[in-house]
Amino acid sequence: MKIGVLALHGAVIEHIRTLRAIGVEGVPVRLPEDLEGISGLILPGGESTTMRKLVARWNLREPIMALARSGAPILGTCAGMIIVAREICGGEEPVFPLLDVTVERNAFGRQLDSFETDLQVPILGDRPVHAIFIRAPIIERVGPGVEVLARLPDQRVVAVRQRNVLAISFHPELAGETRFHRLVATMAAEYAEPAEGAGGTERWPLGEVM
Ligand code: GLN
């Protein structure tokens, strides 16, 4: 089972290393043909405006939308979260309108440009997640059908999932945090070889993955 990492720009190698740490092959995706044979895709952090341009330049939009619609798990981290949102504050066009949320880019302003904190993410178990935020977005609006996976102490939403699409504001791949990647790998294995009787993309129960 292979999981792709969009490798146009940004924190690519860190995701590939995190996948390797859990025994999964991470494949850099630069061209549509690189998506062949992968069972999930990670969209890394970086600069969403740059990714937007490169996705268009290399004709990746349609094939990645098709992969997501087929039910393969997609994990967007930071800029990756921005590019899976259906709505971006300020009216920028969405890139992959997969997740029914509105995101605000660079939501923490100058003072808190970058910071680290420990977060509770109940689906990953009791041990808190060490979350590194780097010029991070937050989720302003959560649509129906979107599960909130984590909030900051002030209640702002920083991790969500809608069926097979997960998005988080922070960078697990820079913190030695492997549980999000494990979750994606579990979903990808199920996508690659659906269990008997499983149906559609609704089939992943929250919890008990770890
Ligand atoms: N500020 C970046 C953007 O708006 C995201 C930063 C990140 O991915 N670490 O695209």
Side-chain angles (χ1 to χ4, degrees):
M1 201 243 318
K2 295 177 188 170
I3 294 182
V5 180
L6 187 67
L8 302 174
H9 153 86
V12 176
I13 190 70
E14 293 83 352
H15 280 291
I16 290 178
R17 284 194 189 125
T18 307
L19 289 169
R20 192 178 303 143
I22 61 165
V24 173
E25 184 180 350
V27 178
V29 171
R30 297 189 183 90
L31 295 169
E33 48 264 42
D34 298 332
L35 293 164
E36 234 158 82
I38 67 162
S39 303
L41 182 65
I42 295 177
L43 306 172
E47 199 53 45
S48 55
T49 46
T50 305
M51 280 187 211
R52 166 194 300 284
K53 284 185 202 141
L54 294 172
V55 163
R57 165 121 166 64
W58 298 107
N59 296 318
L60 282 159
R61 188 171 179 285
E62 285 317 314
I64 289 178
M65 286 300 285
L67 180 75
R69 288 198 186 111
S70 76
I74 310 286
L75 168 66
T77 62
C78 203
M81 174 166 109
I82 297 166
I83 63 175
V84 293
R86 244 182 237 171
E87 219 179 341
I88 303 170
C89 287
E92 278 177 62
E93 280 296 305
V95 180
F96 305 115
L98 291 167
L99 192 62
D100 186 14
V101 297
T102 305
V103 293
E104 184 186 350
R105 295 179 59 199
N106 304 320
F108 294 94
R110 283 245 173 113
Q111 296 285 326
L112 275 181
D113 218 351
S114 299
F115 64 101
E116 301 183 19
T117 188
D118 286 337
L119 287 178
Q120 286 301 327
V121 184
I123 60 157
L124 301 183
D126 291 340
R127 184 163 53 85
V129 166
H130 187 65
I132 303 178
F133 291 81
I134 304 170
R135 300 190 60 230
I138 55 154
I139 294 176
E140 271 272 302
R141 180 192 63 87
V142 177
V146 178
E147 299 155 287
V148 172
L149 304 182
R151 294 177 186 270
L152 287 170
D154 66 10
Q155 297 305 304
R156 285 188 287 177
V157 175
V158 290
V160 291
R161 182 173 86 162
Q162 185 170 17
R163 293 200 208 102
N164 54 318
V165 183
L166 288 128
I168 56 185
S169 300
F170 47 88
H171 288 268
E173 79 288 1
L174 301 181
E177 170 59 67
T178 58
R179 286 172 290 174
F180 286 100
H181 294 72
R182 282 182 207 276
L183 175 58
V184 170
T186 303
M187 292 163 75
E190 178 69 8
Y191 168 80
E193 274 178 59
E196 198 70 18
T201 53
E202 305 283 355
R203 61 183 176 262
W204 296 291
L206 278 180
E208 291 151 31
V209 189
M210 300 305 120

